[in-house]
């Protein structure tokens, strides 16, 4: 599969994630404003992919001309397009750091981030696959996925879904229960599409079925990605992850978080400091274009929640297990 986000020499190219699974189309983003719009609409999404978007945003900002302060202002707007995934501002900062070397150095750094992404996600998910194999006795495994932490959420390969790819290659996956992931359906639309492409058996379920599936003994391990990991190991991820973690803990099902180390934000002591994005009420007032609430219904629509470290079996990066004191191994 082509990279989720890439650079074609003139523009940022992305697989349009608002169109899948019915349409597979590529968008070319030529300006900072087009990139910001794509990030906000979730045409490009998922923490590692947003890291690449941040770096490529600086490339676009540098090509738009003007003085240094104009460039930095554009880069800042990219970094702030969405608040929760730390990778976005991390990608911007890494590219900005090369400004002294000129536009070519900024581009080279952005391209390095793109190359690194697949390598690091493959490594993190390989470590996590070993951990899952050690945690779960049943063969083959029945896994549960929330949101989309696959190829589409990264430049390539995936984080939590990368674990499924590794285990599937070894014949160890019976099936994946895919949370549909209300309200934007990243699970039903994107994760199910990726699993179908890869020939991995799956079933989509409403988010609200996850606890019942665990109670019925249908889940050996829950696999999720992360948008920001605080120093103490608390994890911000797609809304619903916290509820999953409580259910998993109650039923003795391990929950494993997989992310590149660019998702770890050691500047934040705990998850309480993580900014949680609130999204538009329309995402809940309508469903596939039909109004489903009173038109002016008040809405609570946080895009993410924070799962405390004590409910997480393991946080895994390319360095191995991330331990709450900040060490890896
Ligand atoms: O709002 P989204 O679709 O960008 O949310 C994405 C998630 O919550 C993912 O689980 C997370 O970014 C990890 S992706 C490898």
């Amino acid at each position: 599969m082509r990279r989720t986000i890439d650079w074609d020499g003139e523009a940022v190219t992305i697989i349009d994630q608002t169109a899948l699974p019915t349409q597979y189309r590529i968008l070319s983003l030529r300006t900072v404003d087009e990139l910001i719009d794509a990030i906000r609409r979730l045409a490009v999404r998922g923490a590692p992919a947003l890291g690449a978007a941040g770096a490529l945003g600086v490339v676009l900002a540098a090509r738009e001309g003007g003085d240094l302060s104009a460039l930095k202002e554009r880069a800042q707007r990219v970094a702030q397009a969405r608040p929760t995934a730390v990778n976005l501002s991390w990608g911007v900062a890494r590219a900005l750091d090369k400004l002294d070397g000129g536009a070519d150095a900024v581009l080279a750094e952005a391209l390095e981030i793109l190359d690194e992404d697949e390598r690091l996600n493959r490594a993190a998910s390989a470590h996590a696959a070993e951990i899952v194999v050690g945690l779960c006795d049943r063969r083959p495994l029945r896994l549960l996925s929330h949101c989309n932490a696959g190829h589409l959420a990264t430049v390539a390969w995936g984080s939590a879904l990368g674990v499924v790819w590794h285990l599937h290659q070894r014949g160890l996956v019976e099936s994946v229960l895919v949370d549909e992931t209300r309200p934007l359906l990243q699970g039903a639309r994107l994760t199910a599409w990726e699993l179908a492409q890869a020939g991995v058996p799956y079933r989509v379920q409403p988010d609200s079925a996850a606890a019942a599936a665990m109670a019925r003994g249908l889940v050996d391990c829950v696999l999720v990605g992360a948008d920001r990991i605080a120093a103490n190991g608390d994890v911000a991820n797609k809304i619903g992850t916290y509820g999953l973690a409580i259910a998993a803990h109650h039923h003795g099902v391990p929950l494993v978080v997989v992310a590149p180390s660019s998702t770890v934000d050691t500047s934040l002591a705990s998850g309480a400091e993580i900014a949680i994005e609130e999204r538009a009420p329309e995402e809940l007032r309508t469903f596939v274009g039909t109004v489903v609430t009173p038109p002016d219904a008040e809405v609570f629509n946080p895009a993410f929640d924070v799962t405390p470290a004590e409910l997480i079996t393991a946080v895994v990066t390319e360095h191995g297990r991330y331990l709450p004191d900040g060490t890896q191994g």
Side-chain angles (χ1 to χ4, degrees), residues 46-52 54-55 78-80 82-94 226-230 234 236-237 259-268 274-275 304:
L50 290 177
V78 173
Q80 290 170 349
R82 293 185 77 192
T84 305
V86 67
N87 311 62
L88 181 58
S89 55
W90 166 89
V92 168
R94 251 185 80 168
D227 288 86
R228 196 181 292 240
I229 300 163
D234 291 351
N237 190 49
S261 60
S262 50
T263 309
V264 178
D265 182 357
T266 50
S267 76
L268 303 185
I274 298 175
F304 304 96

Coordinates of all heavy atoms in Angstrom, one line a residue, residues 46-52 54-55 78-80 82-94 226-230 234 236-237 259-268 274-275 304:
G46 N -4.4 10.3 13.0 CA -3.6 9.3 13.7 C -2.3 10.0 14.1 O -1.7 10.7 13.3
A47 N -1.9 9.7 15.3 CA -0.7 10.5 15.9 C 0.5 10.4 15.0 O 1.1 11.5 14.7 CB -0.5 10.0 17.3
P48 N 1.0 9.2 14.6 CA 2.3 9.2 13.9 C 2.1 9.9 12.5 O 3.1 10.6 12.1 CB 2.6 7.7 13.7 CG 1.9 7.1 14.9 CD 0.6 7.9 15.0
A49 N 1.0 9.7 11.8 CA 0.8 10.4 10.5 C 0.8 11.9 10.8 O 1.3 12.7 9.9 CB -0.5 9.9 9.9
L50 N 0.3 12.3 11.9 CA 0.2 13.8 12.2 C 1.6 14.3 12.4 O 1.9 15.5 12.1 CB -0.7 14.1 13.4 CG -2.2 13.9 13.1 CD1 -3.0 14.1 14.4 CD2 -2.7 14.8 12.0
G51 N 2.5 13.5 13.0 CA 3.9 13.9 13.1 C 4.5 14.2 11.8 O 5.2 15.2 11.6
A52 N 4.3 13.3 10.8 CA 4.8 13.6 9.4 C 4.1 14.8 8.8 O 4.8 15.6 8.2 CB 4.5 12.3 8.5
G54 N 3.1 17.4 10.4 CA 3.7 18.6 11.0 C 5.0 19.0 10.4 O 5.2 20.1 10.0
A55 N 5.8 18.0 10.1 CA 7.1 18.3 9.5 C 6.9 18.8 8.0 O 7.5 19.7 7.6 CB 8.0 17.0 9.5
V78 N 0.1 25.2 12.1 CA 0.1 23.7 11.8 C 0.1 23.0 13.1 O -0.6 22.1 13.4 CB 1.2 23.3 10.8 CG1 1.3 21.8 10.7 CG2 1.1 24.0 9.5
A79 N 1.1 23.4 14.0 CA 1.3 22.7 15.2 C 0.0 22.7 16.1 O -0.2 21.7 16.9 CB 2.5 23.3 16.0
Q80 N -0.8 23.7 15.9 CA -2.0 23.9 16.8 C -3.3 23.4 16.1 O -4.4 23.6 16.6 CB -2.1 25.3 17.2 CG -1.0 25.7 18.2 CD -1.0 27.2 18.5 OE1 -1.6 28.0 17.8 NE2 -0.2 27.6 19.5
R82 N -4.6 20.5 15.7 CA -5.3 19.7 16.7 C -4.4 19.6 17.9 O -3.2 19.5 17.8 CB -5.5 18.3 16.1 CG -6.5 18.2 14.9 CD -6.7 16.8 14.5 NE -7.7 16.1 15.4 CZ -7.9 14.8 15.3 NH1 -7.2 14.0 14.5 NH2 -8.7 14.2 16.2
P83 N -5.0 19.6 19.1 CA -4.2 19.7 20.3 C -3.7 18.5 21.0 O -2.7 18.5 21.7 CB -5.1 20.4 21.3 CG -6.5 19.9 20.9 CD -6.4 19.7 19.4
T84 N -4.3 17.3 20.7 CA -4.0 16.2 21.7 C -2.8 15.4 21.3 O -1.9 15.1 22.1 CB -5.3 15.3 21.8 OG1 -6.3 16.1 22.3 CG2 -5.0 14.2 22.9
A85 N -2.7 15.0 20.0 CA -1.5 14.2 19.6 C -0.3 15.0 19.6 O -0.1 16.0 18.8 CB -1.8 13.6 18.2
V86 N 0.7 14.6 20.5 CA 1.9 15.4 20.6 C 2.7 15.3 19.4 O 3.6 16.2 19.1 CB 2.7 15.0 21.9 CG1 3.2 13.6 21.7 CG2 3.8 16.0 22.2
N87 N 2.6 14.3 18.6 CA 3.4 14.1 17.4 C 3.3 15.3 16.4 O 4.3 15.5 15.7 CB 2.9 12.8 16.7 CG 2.8 11.6 17.6 OD1 2.0 11.7 18.5 ND2 3.6 10.6 17.4
L88 N 2.2 15.9 16.4 CA 2.0 17.0 15.4 C 3.0 18.2 15.7 O 3.8 18.6 14.9 CB 0.5 17.5 15.5 CG 0.2 18.7 14.5 CD1 0.4 18.3 13.1 CD2 -1.3 19.1 14.7
S89 N 3.0 18.6 17.0 CA 3.9 19.7 17.3 C 5.4 19.2 17.4 O 6.3 19.9 17.0 CB 3.6 20.3 18.7 OG 3.5 19.4 19.7
W90 N 5.6 17.9 17.7 CA 6.9 17.3 17.6 C 7.5 17.3 16.2 O 8.6 17.7 16.0 CB 6.8 15.9 18.1 CG 8.0 15.0 17.9 CD1 9.1 14.8 18.7 CD2 8.1 14.1 16.7 NE1 9.9 13.9 18.1 CE2 9.4 13.4 16.9 CE3 7.4 13.8 15.6 CZ2 9.8 12.5 16.0 CZ3 7.8 12.9 14.7 CH2 9.1 12.3 14.9
G91 N 6.6 17.0 15.2 CA 7.1 17.0 13.8 C 7.4 18.4 13.4 O 8.4 18.6 12.7
V92 N 6.6 19.4 13.8 CA 6.8 20.8 13.4 C 8.2 21.2 14.0 O 9.0 21.8 13.4 CB 5.7 21.7 13.9 CG1 6.1 23.2 13.8 CG2 4.4 21.4 13.1
A93 N 8.4 20.9 15.3 CA 9.6 21.3 16.0 C 10.8 20.7 15.4 O 11.8 21.4 15.2 CB 9.5 21.0 17.5
R94 N 10.7 19.4 15.0 CA 11.9 18.8 14.4 C 12.3 19.4 13.1 O 13.5 19.6 12.8 CB 11.6 17.3 14.2 CG 12.4 16.4 15.2 CD 12.2 15.0 14.9 NE 13.1 14.5 13.8 CZ 13.3 13.2 13.5 NH1 12.7 12.3 14.3 NH2 14.1 12.9 12.5
A226 N -1.9 5.4 20.7 CA -1.9 6.5 21.7 C -1.7 7.8 21.0 O -1.0 7.8 19.9 CB -0.8 6.3 22.7
D227 N -2.2 8.9 21.5 CA -2.0 10.2 21.0 C -1.0 11.0 21.8 O -0.3 11.9 21.3 CB -3.3 11.0 20.9 CG -4.2 10.4 19.7 OD1 -4.9 9.4 20.0 OD2 -4.0 10.9 18.6
R228 N -0.9 10.7 23.1 CA 0.1 11.3 23.9 C 0.2 10.4 25.2 O -0.8 10.0 25.8 CB -0.3 12.7 24.3 CG 0.8 13.5 24.9 CD 0.4 15.0 25.3 NE 0.0 15.8 24.2 CZ 0.5 17.0 23.8 NH1 1.6 17.4 24.6 NH2 0.1 17.7 22.9
I229 N 1.5 10.2 25.5 CA 1.8 9.4 26.7 C 2.5 10.2 27.7 O 3.6 10.8 27.4 CB 2.6 8.1 26.4 CG1 1.9 7.3 25.3 CG2 3.0 7.3 27.6 CD1 2.7 6.3 24.6
A230 N 1.9 10.5 28.9 CA 2.6 11.3 29.9 C 3.7 10.5 30.6 O 3.8 9.3 30.4 CB 1.5 11.8 30.9
D234 N 0.4 7.5 31.9 CA -1.0 7.7 31.5 C -1.1 7.9 30.0 O -0.2 8.5 29.4 CB -1.6 9.0 32.2 CG -1.7 8.8 33.7 OD1 -1.5 7.7 34.2 OD2 -2.0 9.9 34.3
A236 N -3.3 9.2 26.6 CA -4.5 9.8 25.9 C -4.7 9.0 24.6 O -3.7 8.9 23.8 CB -4.3 11.3 25.6
N237 N -5.9 8.6 24.3 CA -6.2 7.9 23.0 C -7.6 8.2 22.7 O -8.3 8.8 23.5 CB -5.8 6.4 23.1 CG -5.9 5.7 21.8 OD1 -5.3 6.2 20.8 ND2 -6.6 4.6 21.7
A259 N 3.0 2.5 20.5 CA 3.2 3.9 19.9 C 4.7 4.1 19.7 O 5.5 3.6 20.4 CB 2.7 4.9 20.8
P260 N 5.1 4.9 18.7 CA 6.5 5.3 18.6 C 6.8 6.2 19.7 O 5.9 6.9 20.3 CB 6.5 6.0 17.2 CG 5.1 6.5 17.0 CD 4.2 5.5 17.6
S261 N 8.1 6.3 20.1 CA 8.5 7.1 21.2 C 8.2 8.6 21.0 O 8.2 9.4 22.0 CB 9.9 6.9 21.6 OG 10.8 7.2 20.5
S262 N 7.9 9.0 19.8 CA 7.6 10.4 19.5 C 6.2 10.8 20.2 O 5.9 11.9 20.3 CB 7.5 10.7 18.0 OG 6.7 9.8 17.4
T263 N 5.5 9.8 20.6 CA 4.2 10.0 21.3 C 4.3 10.2 22.8 O 3.4 10.6 23.5 CB 3.2 8.8 21.0 OG1 3.2 8.6 19.6 CG2 1.8 9.0 21.4
V264 N 5.5 9.9 23.3 CA 5.8 10.1 24.7 C 6.1 11.5 25.0 O 7.0 12.1 24.3 CB 6.9 9.2 25.2 CG1 7.2 9.4 26.7 CG2 6.6 7.7 24.9
D265 N 5.4 12.2 25.9 CA 5.6 13.6 26.2 C 6.1 13.7 27.7 O 5.2 13.8 28.6 CB 4.3 14.4 26.0 CG 4.5 15.8 26.3 OD1 5.6 16.3 26.7 OD2 3.5 16.6 26.1
T266 N 7.4 13.6 27.9 CA 7.9 13.6 29.3 C 7.8 15.0 29.9 O 8.0 15.1 31.1 CB 9.3 13.1 29.3 OG1 10.1 13.8 28.4 CG2 9.4 11.6 29.0
S267 N 7.3 16.0 29.2 CA 7.2 17.3 29.8 C 5.9 17.3 30.6 O 5.7 18.3 31.4 CB 7.1 18.4 28.7 OG 5.9 18.4 28.1
L268 N 5.0 16.3 30.5 CA 3.8 16.3 31.2 C 3.9 15.2 32.3 O 4.2 14.0 31.9 CB 2.6 16.0 30.3 CG 2.3 17.0 29.2 CD1 1.0 16.7 28.5 CD2 2.3 18.4 29.7
I274 N -2.9 16.6 29.9 CA -3.0 16.5 28.4 C -4.3 17.3 28.0 O -5.4 17.1 28.5 CB -3.1 15.0 28.0 CG1 -1.8 14.3 28.4 CG2 -3.4 14.9 26.5 CD1 -1.9 12.8 28.2
A275 N -4.1 18.1 27.0 CA -5.2 18.9 26.4 C -6.1 17.9 25.6 O -5.5 17.2 24.7 CB -4.7 20.0 25.5
F304 N -10.9 12.5 22.7 CA -10.0 11.6 23.3 C -10.3 11.5 24.8 O -11.0 12.3 25.3 CB -8.5 12.1 23.2 CG -8.1 12.3 21.7 CD1 -8.2 13.5 21.1 CD2 -7.7 11.2 21.0 CE1 -7.9 13.7 19.8 CE2 -7.4 11.4 19.6 CZ -7.5 12.6 19.0

